[in-house]
Amino acid sequence: MAVPGSGRPFTLSVISPERKLFEGEAKFVVVPAFDGELGILYGHAPLMALLGSGALRVETTAGTRRFRVSGGFVQIADNEVAVVSERAEEA
Amino acid sequence: MMKAQDIRRRIRSVQNTRQITRTMEMVAASKLRRAQARVQGARPYAAKLSEVIARLFVPDLAERHAILRQPEEIRNSALVLLTSNRGLAGGFNVNLIRHARFTLDELREAGVEVEFHVIGKKGIRFFRYRREPMATERQDISDRPTMEDARSIIDPLLARFESGELDAVDVVYAQFKSAISTPPARMRILPVEPSRGPEAARPLDYIFEPSSEEILTFVLPLYVRNAAYRVLVETAAAEQGARRTAMKNATDNADELIRTLTLQYNKARQAQITRELTEITGGSEALRG
């Protein structure tokens, strides 16, 4: 049984103080929130959560990309996901 | 009138200088492009932070969180001046220093005890000469400032603001309006003035993990640090812009000077030939006579 929202793309941006590391469509994102990993699919409820440190996994239509993030927050609203981290880099 | 030989020597000297200024102009232009990209790269992050703070801020939080405190009266403040480590950038550092002195006077007249932090060799040199006491003197910020640089400057000040030791933190920096317009400006980094942006008018039922209050207290220091980072990158870009303009003017002036000198040289040379000819004919006339 398919999870509702799985496979549908939404907008994601990964932003560090220096620059935008990623901006585009993603189908599934795993974010290291402060209290554990958080999976995001299309149609997620509006959410604002603090980040811990760890790996950020992004499933795009073109493949998987990984980032290391530490501190910051994630904001989800209207299928727009913004991962804003003080220290972020592509792994 | 100068002798032809002397003029030629001067032309050569001006040409050498021109080559240096021309090279510096091109180096500054390429550094400027990269610095400009960094200024622009910093915008999305800053925009997100302001958006989130505007959304989360509630006035009565200010009483519970030290970072949000709004002192009624400013008694002790810190002034941070950003200047460059290198010169040959036209009026860049002079303008910044003038603005800083103006700000210092203004604050002191208002009865504020100001602690002065100077960054960049040019500013330090000036205020040492003036025997102005400086709380910190730093020359280790490169022309490619990082978030770490920003942290190292602002974090101690932020901590002292929270403890109540400081009531305000101002920065005098160079605003990067465009490559040719880089006026000095003052920015009050602390206390934080949460702006009521248009985002506040987008009411969404957010789930907050943890509470909105905790998120706000976490995001505020990021906002303050980001403000510090932004003034650093703007000043770095402004420096390159100012240097490029200054060096372009120098190169143009050298061109102008070479043109005038070449004209003078040709005149002197012709005059010399004419004089020699008259001397020769005069001499032979005398012999014949």
Side-chain angles (χ1 to χ4, degrees):
Chain A
M1 194 189 88
V3 180
S6 69
R8 292 181 67 182
F10 52 89
T11 335
L12 170 77
S13 42
V14 181
I15 304 167
S16 84
E18 283 88 12
R19 66 207 164 91
K20 246 183 196 165
L21 293 166
F22 178 88
E23 184 170 35
E25 298 208 315
K27 289 188 297 185
F28 180 50
V29 181
V30 180
V31 175
F34 75 107
D35 56 352
E37 291 205 316
L38 173 75
I40 301 165
L41 285 173
Y42 179 88
H44 198 291
L47 170 94
M48 226 180 262
L50 290 183
L51 299 180
S53 10
L56 166 70
R57 202 174 94 217
V58 180
E59 304 280 354
T60 67
T61 34
T64 308
R65 289 179 68 176
R66 284 164 207 280
F67 301 87
R68 264 193 302 273
V69 298
S70 171
F73 61 92
V74 57
Q75 182 197 32
I76 309 170
D78 299 331
N79 289 307
E80 275 176 36
V81 179
V83 177
V84 181
S85 177
E86 230 193 343
R87 292 194 178 96
E89 54 178 12
E90 183 131 26
Chain B
M1 191 157 185
M2 266 200 288
K3 279 223 297 274
Q5 194 56 46
D6 296 335
I7 299 176
R8 218 161 67 190
R9 208 173 288 140
R10 270 209 71 192
I11 291 177
R12 211 170 302 136
S13 144
V14 174
Q15 272 169 342
N16 287 340
T17 309
R18 183 191 178 280
Q19 193 149 33
I20 294 167
T21 59
R22 174 102 185 105
T23 312
M24 286 187 68
E25 179 193 334
M26 287 188 301
V27 170
S30 103
K31 282 190 177 175
L32 171 67
R33 261 196 306 280
R34 266 170 290 161
Q36 217 167 350
R38 275 193 291 275
V39 172
Q40 271 148 14
R43 282 194 187 132
Y45 183 81
K48 266 289 168 214
L49 288 182
S50 319
E51 177 195 325
V52 168
I53 288 170
R55 172 183 295 284
L56 297 178
F57 182 73
V58 211
D60 64 302
L61 281 181
E63 280 141 42
R64 283 199 299 258
H65 297 286
I67 191 170
L68 274 170
R69 74 194 186 86
Q70 308 280 338
E72 295 132 46
E73 194 198 347
I74 290 168
R75 259 166 289 147
N76 300 296
S77 88
L79 178 66
V80 183
L81 167 65
L82 305 180
T83 59
S84 71
N85 283 326
R86 289 162 192 240
L88 290 178
F92 180 75
N93 287 305
V94 182
N95 289 339
L96 285 169
I97 288 168
R98 189 185 304 130
H99 204 85
R101 288 175 62 192
F102 181 75
T103 309
L104 272 178
D105 291 346
E106 195 187 79
L107 288 170
R108 281 175 183 154
E109 259 164 48
V112 182
E113 194 63 48
V114 190
E115 179 186 284
F116 195 30
H117 303 263
V118 182
I119 289 154
K121 201 192 258 175
K122 293 291 159 185
I124 294 171
R125 195 172 287 172
F126 177 85
F127 286 104
R128 266 197 200 148
Y129 175 74
R130 300 268 310 197
R131 297 184 193 286
E132 177 72 47
M134 291 176 274
T136 42
E137 303 177 7
R138 294 186 55 175
Q139 306 187 8
D140 57 335
I141 309 289
S142 75
D143 54 5
R144 295 179 44 186
T146 62
M147 196 67 192
E148 287 309 313
D149 294 329
R151 269 172 194 276
S152 69
I153 294 167
I154 200 72
D155 280 8
L157 297 176
L158 177 58
R160 291 174 50 213
F161 174 80
E162 286 180 289
S163 76
E165 221 180 297
L166 291 173
D167 302 316
V169 176
D170 293 301
V171 180
V172 170
Y173 71 109
Q175 226 179 333
F176 186 75
K177 283 191 171 164
S178 75
I180 44 168
S181 169
T182 60
R186 163 157 66 131
M187 183 156 99
R188 177 146 285 182
I189 289 191
L190 284 168
V192 179
E193 286 157 34
S195 56
R196 288 251 139 239
E199 284 302 320
R202 205 174 85 178
L204 264 180
D205 254 334
Y206 275 100
I207 305 168
F208 293 105
E209 301 259 355
S211 67
S212 65
E213 193 175 325
E214 275 171 279
I215 294 182
L216 182 65
T217 50
F218 181 84
V219 173
L220 275 167
L222 301 193
Y223 180 78
V224 173
R225 265 183 223 136
N226 183 253
Y229 175 71
R230 223 167 46 222
V231 295
L232 282 179
V233 288
E234 279 207 31
T235 305
E239 178 194 344
Q240 300 305 336
R243 179 164 300 121
R244 194 193 65 176
T245 312
M247 289 300 112
K248 185 178 179 340
N249 290 341
T251 309
D252 291 349
N253 288 343
D255 281 337
E256 181 63 39
L257 199 55
I258 289 170
R259 248 197 310 279
T260 350
L261 284 173
T262 311
L263 213 65
Q264 271 182 32
Y265 170 68
N266 287 337
K267 273 187 196 154
R269 194 171 51 92
Q270 276 162 17
Q272 199 184 338
I273 292 169
T274 317
R275 196 171 58 244
E276 278 170 15
L277 279 176
T278 358
E279 276 164 15
I280 291 168
T281 40
S284 61
E285 284 296 322
L287 280 181
R288 209 188 298 157

